[in-house]
Amino acid sequence: MTAVDYPPTPAPPQQTPPARAAHRKRRRSSSDARVPWLLSLPTLLILVAMLGYPLFRMIELSFQNMRLRELITGLNPPWVGLEQYSKALTDGVFWGVVLRTAAFTVVSVTLSVLLGLGIALLMRRVHNRVRLFMMIAMMFVWALPQLVAAQAFRWLTDSDFGVLNYLIDKLPGVDFANHSWFVNPWEGWAVITTLVVWAGIPFLAISLSAGLTQVPKELLEAATVDGASAWQSLRSITLPILKPLLTIVTTLSVIWNFGLFTQNWALRDGHPEPVYQTLATFSYTQAFGQSRYSYGSAISVITVLLMLGVMAFYIRQMFKIGEVD
């Protein structure tokens, strides 16, 4: 009999050792974590190229004593170390400006976010044509330059020819003829805050309206069937889903409003009184109004340091959203 040669039995596939699998998982996780940084690299390089040198010069100037004489003659200003920072941090006027800027930021951002969220919720309930009209109107407001908007509000609140005074004066028993809105700081800041909130609502409302499209209607309908009120559905379903977007737009509003300059500068005709000074206008006034360039630079550096925490939080939230997606 002839022997039959059977093909060799294939060896069973080798199993990946647990250590190798864990190593591959770590490499994959590390690679995924680097993707947001790689995508952000071009923007970061552009920012460094455009802002790096001015920021370096501002920091260098804050350690010197640049005066009008050095600016005109081109002489190197004397090096004074931390003297400008010490002067700012021990100045009661400076800390008053810091507190005023922080208080304005808290009030304006709170009002902007609440009104923006309210308008966004309203836009989800109205007819499509009404929603389209609202979006177009807000886009026009959003596209309006800050200086133009400030000039419009300045005309509205003018003591002699202002439309606002004219309308209020028509109310029975009210005398608002030739009323100046900026004599009383509370009224003046109310005008400035209204302008900032009015200009900031379009971005917030449109962004949050887009975020509301991610809220499943089935969850809201189920909550309604279970007897939940509109407030309970908003608190338990809508707001948790909107939380990442709310965090982003709120942080952006804090960054923008903390750097308030154009609105109060234009409303006060380029000469804001001490009660209307913010950190941005205060540093500009000290540097270019009083020729204290190094002192103004030190105030600007302190402002940047105060905002670094907010900016770091914003960038971290952006990367966290990217990792979740």
Side-chain angles (χ1 to χ4, degrees):
M1 298 179 62
T2 304
V4 179
D5 294 329
Y6 292 96
T9 304
Q14 295 182 356
Q15 300 295 326
T16 304
R20 186 179 302 174
H23 178 66
R24 290 180 178 176
K25 186 176 181 180
R26 284 195 300 269
R27 289 181 58 187
R28 189 181 305 112
S29 176
S30 176
S31 177
D32 293 341
R34 288 195 297 265
V35 170
W37 290 100
L38 293 175
L39 294 176
S40 304
L41 186 59
T43 303
L44 294 175
L45 291 176
I46 293 175
L47 289 176
V48 170
M50 295 183 63
L51 303 178
Y53 178 72
L55 182 61
F56 169 77
R57 285 291 295 135
M58 183 179 69
I59 295 174
E60 182 184 30
L61 194 61
S62 67
F63 290 102
Q64 299 172 340
N65 187 19
M66 170 72 79
R67 294 163 295 184
L68 189 60
R69 182 179 62 182
E70 285 79 13
L71 183 66
I72 295 176
T73 61
L75 297 174
N76 291 327
W79 190 270
V80 295
L82 297 175
E83 180 180 330
Q84 305 295 344
Y85 292 97
S86 176
K87 186 186 302 183
L89 296 177
T90 56
D91 185 5
V93 175
F94 167 76
W95 285 112
V97 173
V98 172
L99 293 177
R100 189 182 304 116
T101 305
F104 162 77
T105 302
V106 171
V107 173
S108 61
V109 170
T110 301
L111 291 175
S112 299
V113 173
L114 291 179
L115 291 174
L117 179 60
I119 294 175
L121 292 171
L122 177 63
M123 291 173 62
R124 304 310 304 173
R125 293 178 175 271
V126 298
H127 192 272
N128 290 336
R129 293 181 180 178
V130 178
R131 184 186 307 129
L132 179 62
F133 173 78
M134 293 175 65
M135 292 188 67
I136 293 175
M138 287 189 293
M139 289 296 293
F140 276 111
V141 174
W142 194 5
L144 196 67
Q146 293 182 353
L147 185 59
V148 176
Q151 292 294 341
F153 267 69
R154 184 183 174 187
W155 173 70
L156 289 172
T157 58
D158 184 80
S159 58
D160 296 323
F161 308 103
V163 176
L164 188 59
N165 284 355
Y166 174 79
L167 294 176
I168 296 178
D169 192 58
K170 293 297 182 181
L171 297 176
V174 178
D175 182 14
F176 249 66
N178 304 116
H179 176 76
S180 178
W181 286 85
F182 292 93
V183 171
N184 187 336
W186 290 99
E187 293 182 358
W189 275 109
V191 174
I192 296 172
T193 304
T194 302
L195 170 57
V196 173
V197 171
W198 173 79
I201 282 178
F203 167 76
L204 293 166
I206 294 174
S207 300
L208 294 175
S209 176
L212 286 173
T213 60
Q214 303 302 314
V215 180
K217 293 183 179 180
E218 295 79 8
L219 289 178
L220 297 176
E221 293 173 354
T224 303
V225 170
D226 291 340
S229 63
W231 167 249
Q232 290 173 331
S233 299
L234 175 66
R235 184 184 59 184
S236 303
I237 298 176
T238 305
L239 290 182
I241 296 176
L242 279 182
K243 183 179 178 180
L245 181 58
L246 272 172
T247 302
I248 294 299
V249 296
T250 302
T251 308
L252 279 175
S253 298
V254 169
I255 294 173
W256 293 336
N257 292 6
F258 195 82
L260 174 72
F261 181 91
T262 305
Q263 289 86 345
N264 57 333
W265 187 268
L267 285 172
R268 301 313 301 139
D269 197 22
H271 299 88
E273 296 84 351
V275 292
Y276 296 113
Q277 292 278 6
T278 59
L279 277 172
T281 59
F282 185 64
S283 63
Y284 183 89
T285 302
Q286 293 297 315
F288 300 101
Q290 302 185 19
S291 300
R292 303 167 69 184
Y293 304 105
S294 295
Y295 186 57
S297 298
I299 295 173
S300 298
V301 172
I302 295 174
T303 304
V304 172
L305 292 177
L306 290 175
M307 292 305 300
L308 275 179
V310 181
M311 290 186 287
F313 178 77
Y314 169 72
I315 294 174
R316 182 172 178 270
Q317 291 301 314
M318 291 293 292
F319 284 152
K320 285 178 63 176
I321 292 177
E323 290 173 1
V324 171
D325 292 340

